[in-house]
Amino acid sequence: MKSNFLCLLALLLIAGCSKPKVEADYQIVPLPQTVNSIGGQGFELNGKTLIIYQAGNEVQKQTATFLSEYIKYSTGLELSITDTDASDNAIILKTGYEGENAEAYSLTVNANRIVIDGACEAGVFYGVQTLRKAIPVQDSEVEVVFPAVEIKDYPRFGYRGMHLDVSRHFFPLDFVKKYIDILALHNINRFHWHLSDDQGWRIEIKKYPELTKIGSQRAQTLIEKKDGEYDGKPYGGYFTQNEAREVVEYAAKRFITVIPEIDLPGHMQAALASYPELGCTGGPYKVAEDWGVFEDVLCAGNDTVYTFLENVFSEIIEIFPSEYIHVGGDECPKARWKECPKCQAKIKALKLAADATHTKEDRLQSHMIGYVEKFLNSKGRQIIGWDEILEGGLAPNATVMSWRGVEGGIEAAKQHHDVIMSPNSYIYFDYYQGEDKDSEPLAFGGYLPVQKVYSLEPVSKSLADDEKKYIIGAQANMWTEYINNTQQVEYMLMPRIAALSEVQWCKPENKDYEKFLPRLAGLMKYYKKMGYNYATHITEIAAEIKPAGNELIVKLFTYDNAPVYYTLDGSEPTEKSTKYEEPLHIGQTADIKAVAYRDNEKSKIYEKKLNFNKATLKGIELVNPTHQNYAFNPSILVDGRRGSGGFASAEWLGFFGNDFIGIVDLGEVQEISKVVTGTYEVESSWIFGAVGYTVAVSEDGKAYKQVYDESYPVMDKVRPTSTVDLTAQFTPVNARYVKITAKNTGTIPDWHAGKGTPAFLFIDEIMIE
């Protein structure tokens, strides 16, 4: 009896010591290229599991250490690492995998072991990331069952970048490391560090100590977007060279290369404030307290400037071993160069001439970028520049980072230059994440939800097959004019970086936003566990709206397939409303409202107004070209949806200095009496309203009769951002073709900071009744 009691006690103790088990899920972000079940018993991860790395391999030992830390964080289990082989209950790290992609890996799971085999050490690291993210996040200690699989994985692009601007606002060393950890979680391998700008020089240069003594400090900062209002508080900060090296080393352990940017020849006001002799006028200059573009730039005719650049980059390349050095090249006004005797003398000496598309000053910028490139090439480095470096002729070996849409990248690829796609309308993370901007942190503008990021396809169909190889990757950018603390950086970054990671890693045919959402929800549990400050918009209803003949097909979905109820008349939906079961076919004006229910709690109401009129889903032709940054399909002007997300949301067409002229084909002759055209005014972004509005009609598309003409005054003062409808009301007339002209302001007036340059005109929906 005593013996039976002891046996029972032992069994109870064993049962009490056993840990609950959870099952790993390989549906992660980014999604591996192939995940194949191989059947049989899976692998049980427990406290006795060993992590084994190859003897003598210190890099792999570091990766093994990371894996041990990751597993402890997720499960509470403390696994030992060793270079001594074991026959079972082990996670084996090794290299030797044969694949065409240098960062490829395989991950094989059976009952005895998990083997991560990389084509190189980076491949092993990405295999570790996959294993790590497959473990469900837990709050208590658990053991994990990994189903038996074979994963073969590799990235689509070799360049997978994420950017951080520390010039507009400075962020401390510890946060930069945290930022790098977030990049590593998402398989990103390039950290673009924007270290200099008008508002602050952030890296120590020993030969030029004034750059950090003076250039890293500004007297005050613009308050939000309030022109002329400042906080009166000195602001500054910079990284020593030793701190920068510490960042480089920290990133390298996570297979991330740090690419420094020293922006030139524009965005140099902090440097000019430090060394006034580098400018065309000699100053005085001050570190910029506002955001935007400034006329004072490096003097391209001054030989001292070229010496300065050589000396700065000589120190930069000693700190940063990256093959690439980013030299900026964006937003450089040429007004000072046009007036500067030294610059004009340099133009004459170099025999630079204007042509139909480039001024001689454009050619001068190209000369300066080419000079820096030649210097860096001589040191074994290559340059990256923003797409403005195309203007005036592209430096021979330069890589182009295309931010003003994708057109610059397409042009560079056609010239057989490497390209990194970074279009602002898809992957500028300083744009708003939600349409309700009043409930969002202050942002630059625009509207860039996770779904829009996910939709980016970096390789344009307009490229020939032999040109597509020049698209080497994609990068998102985090500009920080309106992001002044680390919590906001995290909020603007996550979860959009997850969508970015799939753009960078996955093949287009493997991308599916609806299937991505549940995987993203799992990743967001990691965000929560780690204490990150992330946006939660994906818990709201998402929609996909596509035209089909004379209808709009509306597809509603949620990340967790929660039941959705909707109305079409603008009334508030409840559980008693129509339940969404299949895509909606909308062929008339509707005010869609939808709500999801989870545990008797309502989601935020989704609303989209669809306005059907005689122009909706009809053909439209543009007479004048749009600006390359805002050159979307003209059909967005007649898609029944009014632009609401800001000018950079890809909902508006932008015209730079020229008029909007569009011809709508109604399909048949019919009576009309009213034409409304939506415009968008944001004077702080040089977007002015129309100064004239004309409507002409035709039955045959050849002979037009003007039925309306109105002029409007040029904007003469600062105005709030607003949508302004141009409305033409006239006596009923029969027409098939309707020619609509909205006249551009042309040249920005003298009262504005952009005086003398072309104005933007933005157009969205055309409505004809």
Side-chain angles (χ1 to χ4, degrees):
M1 189 171 181
K2 183 177 181 182
S3 175
N4 290 338
F5 174 77
L6 290 174
C7 288
L8 178 61
L9 181 62
L11 289 170
L12 289 171
L13 288 172
I14 291 170
C17 292
S18 64
K19 298 178 179 65
K21 290 181 172 61
V22 296
E23 184 170 284
D25 184 356
Y26 304 114
Q27 294 296 304
I28 62 166
V29 177
L31 184 67
Q33 303 293 355
T34 63
V35 180
N36 295 318
S37 174
I38 58 177
Q41 186 177 343
F43 179 85
E44 294 192 9
L45 180 82
N46 55 49
K48 295 182 179 180
T49 302
L50 294 175
I51 301 173
I52 301 173
Y53 62 92
Q54 292 174 308
N57 190 328
E58 291 301 311
V59 173
Q60 213 170 85
K61 182 179 180 181
Q62 177 64 71
T63 300
T65 301
F66 284 146
L67 178 56
S68 178
E69 292 171 353
Y70 297 152
I71 289 174
K72 181 181 179 182
Y73 196 81
S74 295
T75 69
L77 301 175
E78 295 191 39
L79 305 191
S80 298
I81 67 170
T82 180
D83 60 2
T84 302
D85 198 9
S87 59
D88 58 12
N89 199 17
I91 301 171
I92 312 294
L93 308 185
K94 57 185 265 190
T95 55
Y97 179 68
E98 294 183 2
E100 294 182 4
N101 192 298
E103 297 175 291
Y105 70 91
S106 69
L107 191 158
T108 305
V109 179
N110 60 36
N112 298 319
R113 55 175 56 189
I114 296 174
V115 179
I116 298 174
D117 187 2
C120 68
E121 297 298 346
V124 176
F125 183 79
Y126 297 127
V128 162
Q129 295 303 314
T130 294
L131 194 69
R132 163 199 191 183
K133 286 179 280 192
I135 301 172
V137 174
Q138 302 296 315
D139 293 324
S140 58
E141 192 169 314
V142 296
E143 295 178 350
V144 185
V145 178
F146 289 86
V149 295
E150 183 178 54
I151 295 173
K152 292 185 177 180
D153 197 17
Y154 53 88
R156 180 187 181 194
F157 293 110
Y159 186 106
R160 304 182 301 282
M162 187 65 222
H163 157 285
L164 179 63
D165 168 16
V166 296
S167 296
R168 276 50 178 266
H169 282 100
F170 180 77
F171 304 101
L173 180 63
D174 285 347
F175 178 74
V176 174
K177 291 179 178 179
K178 183 179 184 180
Y179 195 81
I180 288 168
D181 284 332
I182 295 171
L183 270 54
L185 177 66
H186 296 86
N187 293 18
I188 287 171
N189 67 350
R190 299 289 190 277
F191 170 43
H192 175 175
W193 205 5
H194 187 79
L195 291 166
S196 71
D197 218 297
D198 296 302
Q199 295 80 13
W201 186 283
R202 305 297 182 204
I203 182 68
E204 176 189 22
I205 302 296
K206 295 183 184 296
K207 195 171 185 67
Y208 298 101
E210 301 299 297
L211 287 173
T212 46
K213 183 178 179 181
I214 295 174
S216 71
Q217 305 290 322
R218 60 177 179 258
Q220 56 186 355
T221 303
L222 182 73
I223 297 174
E224 297 179 347
K225 298 181 179 181
K226 301 174 182 178
D227 287 347
E229 293 187 34
Y230 301 89
D231 61 10
K233 300 175 182 178
Y235 185 92
Y238 68 92
F239 298 95
T240 66
Q241 292 193 4
N242 284 339
E243 287 174 327
R245 288 189 177 95
E246 191 175 332
V247 169
V248 169
E249 181 181 358
Y250 190 87
K253 289 179 179 178
R254 292 151 180 83
F255 298 90
I256 294 172
T257 300
V258 181
I259 299 175
E261 180 184 357
I262 301 297
D263 202 348
L264 69 103
H267 289 289
M268 271 282 179
Q269 199 153 305
L272 298 183
S274 307
Y275 295 94
E277 65 273 17
L278 300 176
C280 290
T281 68
Y285 308 107
K286 66 178 181 178
V287 179
E289 300 163 358
D290 301 89
W291 320 125
V293 178
F294 300 89
E295 290 189 347
D296 288 307
V297 301
L298 292 177
C299 179
N302 185 347
D303 290 341
T304 302
V305 168
Y306 295 88
T307 302
F308 168 79
L309 293 173
E310 285 191 10
N311 291 334
V312 167
F313 282 112
S314 291
E315 293 194 32
I316 289 293
I317 62 178
E318 287 299 314
I319 303 167
F320 299 95
S322 167
E323 173 191 2
Y324 289 118
I325 305 294
H326 205 301
V327 299
D330 63 315
E331 299 178 326
C332 178
K334 310 298 191 299
R336 294 286 188 250
W337 291 358
K338 291 177 181 178
E339 300 170 356
C340 174
K342 289 182 180 180
C343 290
Q344 292 303 310
K346 177 72 78 172
I347 288 170
K348 186 175 181 181
L350 295 171
K351 299 180 180 179
L352 303 178
D355 61 18
T357 55
H358 302 114
T359 68
K360 58 187 179 180
E361 287 77 22
D362 289 335
R363 301 289 188 194
L364 185 58
Q365 174 165 337
S366 182
H367 163 74
M368 178 175 273
I369 296 293
Y371 183 95
V372 172
E373 181 191 45
K374 186 176 180 180
F375 173 76
L376 288 170
N377 287 170
S378 74
K379 305 295 183 181
R381 308 303 181 89
Q382 302 293 325
I383 70 165
I384 300 175
W386 301 109
D387 56 56
E388 285 95 332
I389 66 174
L390 287 160
E391 299 166 5
L394 193 52
N397 302 308
T399 295
V400 172
M401 186 167 280
S402 187
W403 73 276
R404 298 178 300 175
V406 299
E407 288 73 22
I410 291 170
E411 180 182 343
K414 289 181 180 293
Q415 296 181 30
H416 294 180
H417 282 264
D418 285 346
V419 172
I420 300 155
M421 286 298 188
S422 191
N424 58 346
S425 55
Y426 286 89
I427 42 180
Y428 263 40
F429 286 0
D430 56 330
Y431 289 5
Y432 286 102
Q433 297 193 70
E435 288 191 271
D436 182 7
K437 295 176 183 177
D438 291 338
S439 65
E440 293 288 310
L442 184 66
F444 179 84
Y447 171 50
L448 189 57
V450 171
Q451 189 172 6
K452 183 67 182 294
V453 176
Y454 196 80
S455 71
L456 173 64
E457 171 44 51
V459 181
S460 171
K461 293 179 181 178
S462 68
L463 292 172
D465 288 343
D466 64 338
E467 295 167 339
K468 292 178 180 179
K469 65 184 179 182
Y470 293 103
I471 310 299
I472 64 172
Q475 174 179 295
N477 298 323
M478 182 72 75
W479 300 105
T480 60
E481 288 94 334
Y482 303 107
I483 303 174
N484 60 14
N485 63 79
T486 60
Q487 286 284 295
Q488 191 178 352
V489 172
E490 292 179 21
Y491 179 86
M492 302 301 274
L493 183 65
M494 293 175 282
R496 291 187 288 194
I497 190 175
L500 170 70
S501 74
E502 295 227 337
V503 170
Q504 297 169 330
W505 191 274
C506 300
K507 293 179 180 179
E509 59 268 28
N510 292 341
K511 288 174 59 188
D512 183 311
Y513 184 71
E514 190 172 355
K515 293 178 180 177
F516 165 73
L517 284 176
R519 292 186 282 111
L520 176 55
L523 182 61
M524 287 171 65
K525 292 178 181 177
Y526 261 92
Y527 296 168
K528 184 176 182 179
K529 174 88 171 179
M530 294 173 185
Y532 294 152
N533 185 39
Y534 57 95
T536 59
H537 300 87
I538 71 153
T539 63
E540 300 168 7
I541 295 172
E544 182 181 87
I545 304 175
K546 292 183 177 180
N550 294 322
E551 295 181 322
L552 289 170
I553 309 301
V554 181
K555 185 178 183 181
L556 304 176
F557 48 91
T558 61
Y559 77 97
D560 57 355
N561 293 319
V564 172
Y565 300 86
Y566 69 93
T567 62
L568 298 178
D569 61 1
S571 60
E572 185 167 327
T574 68
E575 286 181 290
K576 294 182 179 180
S577 302
T578 305
K579 187 176 183 180
Y580 175 84
E581 302 285 1
E582 59 184 6
L584 309 177
H585 292 249
I586 307 297
Q588 59 186 4
T589 295
D591 184 354
I592 302 172
K593 287 188 176 181
V595 65
Y597 279 85
R598 300 179 181 91
D599 298 327
N600 295 319
E601 290 189 7
K602 295 196 305 182
S603 70
K604 182 178 179 180
I605 292 177
Y606 166 86
E607 181 175 14
K608 178 61 66 176
K609 293 181 180 180
L610 302 178
N611 186 323
F612 275 73
N613 56 82
K614 293 186 177 184
T616 305
L617 303 180
K618 298 300 192 295
I620 182 167
E621 174 189 345
L622 298 183
V623 176
N624 290 337
T626 55
H627 186 276
Q628 63 175 5
N629 290 15
Y630 310 103
F632 308 109
N633 192 317
S635 64
I636 68 172
L637 300 181
V638 290
D639 64 359
R641 290 170 281 172
R642 304 213 59 176
S644 60
F647 70 90
S649 63
E651 298 175 307
W652 301 83
L653 296 185
F655 297 83
F656 188 54
N658 57 343
D659 298 338
F660 162 72
I661 304 176
I663 300 174
V664 178
D665 180 359
L666 299 178
E668 61 183 6
V669 175
Q670 51 189 296
E671 186 178 271
I672 66 171
S673 60
K674 184 178 182 181
V675 179
V676 178
T677 302
T679 68
Y680 195 58
E681 296 182 1
V682 195
E683 62 79 23
S684 60
S685 295
W686 301 4
I687 302 172
F688 281 62
V691 295
Y693 186 45
T694 302
V695 175
V697 298
S698 171
E699 292 189 11
D700 60 5
K702 297 176 182 178
Y704 280 88
K705 175 186 176 182
Q706 184 173 296
V707 295
Y708 186 85
D709 182 44
E710 184 67 64
S711 296
Y712 311 107
V714 175
M715 188 187 299
D716 58 1
K717 61 182 179 180
V718 175
R719 293 183 190 172
T721 297
S722 60
T723 300
V724 178
D725 283 345
L726 308 178
T727 302
Q729 190 94 39
F730 45 87
T731 302
V733 60
N734 289 329
R736 172 176 174 175
Y737 299 93
V738 183
K739 180 186 285 186
I740 303 159
T741 301
K743 189 171 180 57
N744 195 312
T745 296
T747 301
I748 293 178
D750 289 344
W751 66 267
H752 192 273
K755 63 181 180 180
T757 59
F760 276 104
L761 173 67
F762 274 76
I763 304 291
D764 177 41
E765 196 69 9
I766 294 171
M767 294 160 283
I768 299 177
E769 299 175 5

